[in-house]
Amino acid sequence: MDPPKYERTETTMKKRLLAAPLAIAAIACTVLLGACGGPSIEELIRTDLTEAFDSISPDNEEFVDSLTDSTGGSLEILDLSAEDFAKGYFDGFEYEIGDISVEEKAGTASAKVKVKMKSITDAMADFTADYEAWIMSIDPSAVPSEEELYAKGGELMMASIAETPAEESDITFTYSKNENGEWEPSEGADEAILGAML
């Protein structure tokens, strides 16, 4: 037996009343890019930066290997290991990710990061002065071998790095949305980090 007409009408009205807010919620989720379950753009960028900066560690074998490759064997000449160099240079290294602003329509975003690290320029300036002073003090009648000269250079370099204080600097990283709708660092990220190191 069919339910009374007024019961069918009440059920239909309830379905319609529920459909409207559900549709609005679905649209809102789409517009807000994951606010209803997935990570937001800000969260994606923060995660990307966190993973990148957390990888800067003497305990990260992949990072140490890349450091070895980038120095082209110069550390070995100075009788230094890339791990020891990384431990000295990145002693006191800290970072803090600040505000992240997103211009979704333009497909751009920027993130501010406060970084605390040693200036390689300052460390090398002190090393050069100390090494030249040591060379001038050598007794001409007892000149060290080439191997000893390099080893002393490595020793003085690590001492200069150890004495160089870590200083704070602000870096702004920019991101852009590619053709696939993915957010990735814009060109210039490497230069921004290099600027903090110098």
Side-chain angles (χ1 to χ4, degrees), residues 25-96:
I27 293 171
C29 285
T30 303
V31 172
L32 295 176
L33 290 176
C36 300
S40 65
I41 298 171
E42 291 87 344
E43 291 171 330
L44 290 171
I45 292 175
R46 190 175 295 276
T47 298
D48 183 61
L49 288 170
T50 298
E51 290 177 352
F53 278 103
D54 281 352
S55 70
I56 301 176
S57 169
D59 299 325
N60 183 347
E61 186 176 344
E62 185 176 346
F63 171 72
V64 173
D65 288 343
S66 68
L67 187 61
T68 302
D69 295 338
S70 65
T71 56
S74 58
L75 291 177
E76 292 182 6
I77 294 176
L78 296 173
D79 197 25
L80 297 175
S81 70
E83 185 176 0
D84 288 340
F85 180 84
K87 285 181 178 178
Y89 180 65
F90 290 103
D91 180 40
F93 171 76
E94 297 176 2
Y95 75 92
E96 180 182 351

Side-chain angles (χ1 to χ4, degrees), residues 7-18:
E7 288 185 10
R8 290 200 301 270
T9 303
E10 184 179 0
T11 303
T12 304
M13 287 178 64
K14 284 181 179 179
K15 288 182 179 179
R16 287 180 180 173
L17 287 172
L18 287 173

Side-chain angles (χ1 to χ4, degrees), residues 17 24 35 47 55 64-65 68 116 133 138 146 160 162 165 171 188 192 194:
L17 287 172
I24 293 172
T47 298
S55 70
V64 173
D65 288 343
T68 302
K116 185 176 182 182
I138 294 176
E146 183 176 345
S160 296
I171 307 177
L194 183 60

